[in-house]
Each structure stands twice: as structure tokens, then as C-alpha cells.
Amino acid sequence: MPTQAKQQSSQLISGFEPYIEKKGEEYMGEPMRKHFTKILNKWKQDLMQEVDRTVDHMKDEAANFPDPADRASQEEEFSLELRARDRERKLIKKIDKTLQLIEDEEYGWCESCGVEIGIRRLEARPTADMCVDCKTLAEIKEKQVGK
């Protein structure tokens, strides 16, 4: 698949168009903040729909199997789903925190060094709160402490 067609396909799947900066546009001005608010709200909505699907699935699939192996398989499946939903619950909290930063006009700057995080990084990871350099250093320090 040609690169341009692949990019268009992935944009349609993820549901957003990359932000195109206008010449001389202020970083994190109103249009950019609206762009990221839209992305974050869509992401949050998708996660909430996934939570609803999980609840429905668990209600529909809940059964008291007579065979202990079947029961164990179902419990393991439910356990994995609940762990995934717990991670998503934490992500929803982070999305809410990020939406508040946008509202307070504090979104888009590294919390460690204060430089612009960058539009492309934020589109790839809308909840990022550090620039690439600071995040890399934090991960290196984390690995060193973890050993």
C-alpha cells in the first residue's frame, strides 16, 4: 500500500485529521486547543463505549458451568477483561486531567523543563505531559532505579 494511501486509511480509522498549522500561528492557541479537546473527547467516548460493551458481555456470558475447567476459563477471561478496563479507567482519569489542562490553557508544555511538547507528539500521545527528551531521561532513571 502506498504511503499516502496508508496514511489516509489510518487517519480514517483513528477518526481525526492531523492538525495543519497556519503560518505565524501561536502555539496552543484556541484552534489547537479545540483540536486536542476533540481528540481527547473522542478517545474518552470510545473508552466509555468499551466499558459498556464489557459489562454487557459479562452479563450475557456469565454462566455457572458444571465443569471446573470451563468455569476457570471463563473466570480467567473475565479477569483479563477487568484488568484491561481498570487500565482504561486510569486512562480516562488522565484524559480528564488533560482536558482540564487544556481548559486552564496549560496544555502542551513539558512539566519538567517547560518547553513546547510539540503538536505531532501530542497527536501521537494526547496525554503526554513531558517533551521527548525529558521523558527519555525519566525512563532511563526509572530503569536504573528498578534494577
Side-chain angles (χ1 to χ4, degrees):
M1 180 181 265
T3 306
Q4 189 174 11
K6 188 182 261 187
Q7 283 178 337
Q8 281 185 324
S9 170
S10 68
Q11 290 166 7
L12 294 173
I13 293 168
S14 63
F16 85 95
E17 291 289 325
Y19 188 82
I20 299 169
E21 300 169 75
K22 294 167 183 64
K23 189 172 181 171
E25 183 177 1
E26 175 190 4
Y27 180 73
M28 279 307 142
E30 185 65 25
M32 279 187 211
R33 288 195 309 270
K34 282 184 180 179
H35 174 72
F36 287 107
T37 299
K38 183 179 171 185
I39 290 171
L40 288 160
N41 282 324
K42 172 78 171 99
W43 194 10
K44 182 178 175 180
Q45 180 184 5
D46 292 347
L47 290 170
M48 297 299 286
Q49 287 174 346
E50 195 60 37
V51 167
D52 292 342
R53 273 195 288 273
T54 297
V55 170
D56 292 341
H57 171 71
M58 291 179 84
K59 283 181 186 175
D60 294 343
E61 297 296 318
N64 192 8
F65 293 109
D67 182 25
D70 290 340
R71 222 178 8 254
S73 293
Q74 183 183 49
E75 287 176 15
E76 182 63 22
E77 177 190 332
F78 286 177
S79 175
L80 289 170
E81 279 191 52
L82 290 173
R83 262 189 275 163
R85 295 302 87 76
D86 188 51
R87 282 193 303 275
E88 289 171 355
R89 179 187 56 81
K90 291 174 185 172
L91 180 55
I92 289 170
K93 280 185 176 181
K94 195 167 185 179
I95 290 170
D96 287 337
K97 176 186 164 200
T98 304
L99 287 167
Q100 186 61 51
L101 287 173
I102 292 173
E103 193 174 306
D104 297 341
E105 297 186 15
E106 296 177 10
Y107 178 70
W109 286 272
C110 179
E111 68 178 22
S112 286
C113 68
V115 303
E116 295 176 359
I117 293 175
I119 295 170
R120 299 301 162 238
R121 172 160 166 68
L122 290 171
E123 284 181 334
R125 188 71 179 166
T127 57
D129 51 13
M130 286 190 218
C131 66
V132 173
D133 294 336
C134 289
K135 186 64 178 175
T136 302
L137 287 173
E139 287 174 355
I140 290 169
K141 288 177 186 175
E142 203 174 283
K143 283 181 185 176
Q144 289 173 347
V145 172
K147 288 185 177 183

